[in-house]
Amino acid sequence: MEENARLWDVFLDVQRGLPRQGPGNRDSTSRALSLCGDLPENPRVLDIGCGPGMQTLALAQELDSYVTAVDFPAEYLDQLKTCIEAAEVMEQVEALAGDMNALAFAENTFDLIWAEGSAYIMGFAQALEAWWPLKKPGGYLAATELVWLRPEAERPAEATAFFADEYPAMTDVKTTANMFRDHGHDLVGHFTLPDAAPVWRQL
Ligand SMILES: C[S@@+](CC[C@H](N)C(=O)[O-])C[C@H]1O[C@@H](n2cnc3c(N)ncnc32)[C@H](O)[C@@H]1O
C-alpha cells in the first residue's frame, strides 16, 4: 500500500503541469467523434480516466453535451476544473473521483463513453467488457489503445523487452480491432494517432 502511494507520488510529480497525459490532440478527438455518426442532441457522455481534461473540454464543446469526467487523484480533477472554468463550460462537466474498475453508474446510462489513454490500465478487453453495459443501446464507446505498429520481426528488442514487462497484453491494430467483434460488438472505425499527436506538442 505504501509502495503504491509512493508510485502515485512519483507519477504525479512527473505529470505535474502537463496539459495532457497521453498521446492525442484536439484534431484526433474530433476525428474520433466524427465516427460516432448518429448521437442524439446534447448526449450524455462519460470520460473515463479524464486526467487534466483536454478531451473532456473538446467533448463538452463539440457535442454541446453533459460530460461526467472520472479520475483518481484530486490534483487532476482540480486541473480539469480550472480548464472547464477557463472555457466557461462548468455547467456541462461534472468532475468525479472514482475508480474505473468499479464505476457506480447504472447500465444504459450514457450515449457515449470516452477513454483516451486509460483503457490500458484495466487492459483493453477487460475495459471493453466492463464499460460496454454502461452505454445505451446504439451508443458508442471510443477508446485509444497502445498497439504495435510494426510486425514482430521489425520491433526493436529493447521496446519488446520493455513492453513484455510493462504491458504484456499489448498487441497489434488488427487484433485490438477484432476485440470488439470478439465481444459481440460492432466496430464503426479506427485510426492510428498521427505523429503530430504526442503527449503535449499539439493540443
Ligand atoms: C495516461 S492518463 C490519460 C489522461 C487523459 N485522458 C489524457 O489523455 O490526457 C491515464 C489516466 O487514468 C487515470 N487513472 C489511473 N487509474 C485509474 C483508476 N483506477 N480509475 C480512474 N482513473 C484512473 C490516471 O490518473 C490518469 O489521469
Side-chain angles (χ1 to χ4, degrees):
M1 198 66 189
E2 230 171 72
E3 180 64 7
N4 247 348
R6 166 101 189 102
L7 276 178
W8 266 109
D9 282 348
V10 173
F11 186 73
L12 287 171
D13 240 10
V14 170
Q15 302 264 8
R16 187 159 292 126
L18 291 180
R20 270 187 186 275
Q21 298 170 347
N25 61 14
R26 180 82 180 220
D27 286 349
S28 296
T29 299
S30 303
R31 183 171 171 194
L33 258 181
S34 74
L35 296 173
C36 308
D38 47 2
L39 284 167
E41 256 183 58
N42 315 120
R44 181 88 202 271
V45 182
L46 174 64
D47 182 10
I48 302 174
C50 60
M54 293 308 288
Q55 75 291 314
T56 317
L57 180 60
L59 294 166
Q61 289 176 326
E62 293 190 26
L63 293 171
D64 199 14
S65 56
Y66 186 74
V67 186
T68 301
V70 177
D71 208 298
F72 248 176
E75 188 169 328
Y76 293 158
L77 295 171
D78 289 345
Q79 219 176 314
L80 167 72
K81 284 176 196 159
T82 307
C83 164
I84 57 179
E85 271 168 26
E88 299 183 351
V89 291
M90 290 95 77
E91 298 78 26
Q92 284 175 250
V93 179
E94 169 190 33
L96 272 188
D99 182 356
M100 66 170 72
N101 295 284
L103 294 168
F105 302 107
E107 293 192 358
N108 302 334
T109 297
F110 298 97
D111 298 295
L112 176 62
I113 296 178
W114 204 265
E116 279 195 38
S118 58
Y120 81 96
I121 291 160
M122 288 174 69
F124 197 75
Q126 289 81 354
L128 205 58
E129 198 62 356
W131 300 343
W132 197 266
L134 303 181
K135 71 170 199 59
K136 295 175 187 167
Y140 294 89
L141 187 157
T144 59
E145 172 62 337
L146 288 168
V147 290
W148 289 108
L149 294 175
R150 294 190 199 171
E152 207 166 339
E154 293 173 25
R155 295 172 196 161
E158 199 179 352
T160 302
F162 177 82
F163 283 108
D165 270 349
E166 295 300 326
Y167 193 31
M170 184 161 96
T171 177
D172 56 16
V173 174
K174 192 171 169 210
T175 312
T176 304
N178 281 341
M179 285 180 196
F180 283 81
R181 282 178 216 117
D182 295 346
H183 286 84
H185 312 313
D186 290 334
L187 177 66
V188 295
H190 64 89
F191 60 92
T192 300
L193 288 173
D195 290 345
V199 177
W200 56 81
R201 196 185 302 149
Q202 272 200 8
L203 303 175

